[in-house]
C-alpha cells in the first residue's frame, strides 16, 4: 500500500518521485525466462521459491520504465520503415514436472531488410560503456542472461532467428544483430535450470566469498550469506 502522506511530506520533489516508484513496485516472486541464463544456481532457486529480494531504488525503477518507453519508440520507428512488430508481450511457457517458467517477448518482427522470415524481436537499452562492450563482443557474449532469454523464446515459439536491438541511451545509436537458434544449447540450459530449482534445498552458490563483487550486487545477498 502506498503511503501518500510520506511521499507528499518529502522536502525534495524528485525524491518523492523515486519514493512513489519504490512504493508502487511489487516484487515478482517467481523465476522468469529472462533470468534462466543467470550463472548461479542458488540465485535461480531463491528466485523460483519466492525469497525476499533487496528493495530496488526508485531511480533504478525509473531506468526500467525508460527502457519500456524506448522499446515503444523503436517499435514505432521500425513500423515507419515497413517492419511489422506483432505479438508484443506474448507469453512463452515451458513446463517440467509441474514446474512452470514463463516470459513475455518484446515482439515478432516481419519485413526486415536482411530477411523476409519472421524473427523474434528483443530490445535492450544501455549506457555508452555497455554499448561499447556490446559492439566489441556481440550480443551473446555480452550478456549470458540476454543470450539464454532469446534462445528460450525462439525455442518456445518455434522461430529460427531473432533480431536484437541495443539502444545507447547516451547517443541514441542503435545496434542490431540477427541470431540463429542454438536448439541444443538452450535445451541443455533449461534442463540445468529445472534441475537446480527442483532441488529440496538451495544449490551451491557461484560466488566464492561474501565480498565478491557479484555477491554484493545480488538481490539475495543477505539471505545467501545470512547477513542480518
Amino acid at each position: 500500500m502506498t503511503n501518500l502522506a510520506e511521499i507528499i511530506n518529502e522536502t525534495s520533489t524528485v525524491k518523492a518521485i523515486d519514493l512513489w516508484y519504490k512504493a508502487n513496485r511489487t516484487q515478482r516472486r517467481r523465476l522468469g525466462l529472462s533470468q534462466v541464463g543467470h550463472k548461479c544456481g542458488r540465485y535461480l532457486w531463491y528466485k523460483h521459491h519466492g525469497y525476499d529480494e533487496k528493495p530496488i531504488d526508485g531511480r533504478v525503477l525509473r531506468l526500467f520504465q525508460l527502457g519500456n518507453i524506448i522499446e515503444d519508440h523503436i517499435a514505432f520507428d521500425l513500423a515507419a520503415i515497413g517492419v511489422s512488430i506483432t505479438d508484443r508481450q506474448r507469453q512463452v511457457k515451458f513446463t517440467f514436472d509441474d514446474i512452470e517458467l514463463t516470459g513475455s517477448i518484446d515482439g515478432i518482427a516481419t519485413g526486415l531488410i536482411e530477411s523476409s522470415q519472421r524473427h523474434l524481436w528483443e530490445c535492450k537499452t544501455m549506457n555508452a560503456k555497455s554499448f561499447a562492450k556490446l559492439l566489441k563482443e556481440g550480443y551473446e557474449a555480452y550478456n549470458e542472461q540476454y543470450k539464454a532469454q532469446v534462445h528460450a523464446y525462439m525455442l518456445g515459439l518455434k522461430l529460427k532467428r531473432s533480431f536484437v536491438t541495443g539502444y545507447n541511451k547516451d547517443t541514441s545509436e542503435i545496434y542490431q544483430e540477427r541470431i540463429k537458434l542454438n536448439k541444443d544449447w538452450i535445451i541443455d540450459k533449461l534442463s540445468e535450470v529445472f534441475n537446480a530449482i527442483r532441488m529440496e534445498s538451495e544449490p551451491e552458490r557461484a560466488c566464492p566469498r561474501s565480498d565478491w563483487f557479484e555477491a554484493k550486487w545480488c538481490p539475495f545477498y543477505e539471505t545467501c550469506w545470512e547477513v542480518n
Side-chain angles (χ1 to χ4, degrees), residues 11-167:
T11 57
S12 167
T13 300
V14 293
K15 186 176 180 181
I17 293 173
D18 284 349
L19 279 174
W20 182 89
Y21 271 89
K22 188 174 182 179
N24 282 277
R25 179 189 182 257
T26 301
Q27 178 183 325
R28 187 175 71 175
R29 296 183 180 274
R30 63 176 178 82
L31 179 67
L33 289 174
S34 62
Q35 297 142 343
V36 295
H38 199 286
K39 70 178 185 179
C40 181
R42 184 173 292 195
Y43 168 93
L44 298 170
W45 193 90
Y46 283 146
K47 188 70 178 176
H48 172 69
H49 289 277
Y51 276 65
D52 288 337
E53 301 179 33
K54 183 172 71 173
I56 301 177
D57 291 340
R59 179 190 64 83
V60 177
L61 294 171
R62 288 191 288 107
L63 280 174
F64 295 161
Q65 179 64 11
L66 178 60
N68 294 332
I69 293 170
I70 292 174
E71 177 189 320
D72 290 340
H73 179 66
I74 295 179
F76 176 86
D77 288 345
L78 288 169
I81 62 167
V83 178
S84 174
I85 301 294
T86 60
D87 299 89
R88 300 202 55 193
Q89 299 307 306
R90 177 177 173 180
Q91 190 177 82
V92 180
K93 181 187 301 184
F94 290 94
T95 58
F96 187 83
D97 283 351
D98 297 325
I99 298 176
E100 182 177 285
L101 296 177
T102 63
S104 299
I105 68 171
D106 290 341
I108 294 177
T110 308
L112 299 175
I113 293 173
E114 295 81 3
S115 172
S116 61
Q117 68 177 298
R118 297 165 74 240
H119 286 59
L120 171 78
W121 176 53
E122 185 65 28
C123 180
K124 300 298 184 186
T125 61
M126 60 203 69
N127 60 26
K129 181 178 179 180
S130 295
F131 191 81
K133 182 181 178 183
L134 174 64
L135 290 177
K136 180 180 179 180
E137 300 181 357
Y139 192 84
E140 294 181 280
Y142 164 70
N143 188 299
E144 188 79 2
Q145 290 191 68
Y146 291 175
K147 174 184 177 181
Q149 181 184 21
V150 295
H151 283 285
Y153 289 166
M154 283 190 282
L155 180 67
L157 295 173
K158 297 180 172 59
L159 295 172
K160 297 180 179 180
R161 286 270 196 157
S162 62
F163 173 67
V164 298
T165 51
Y167 186 92

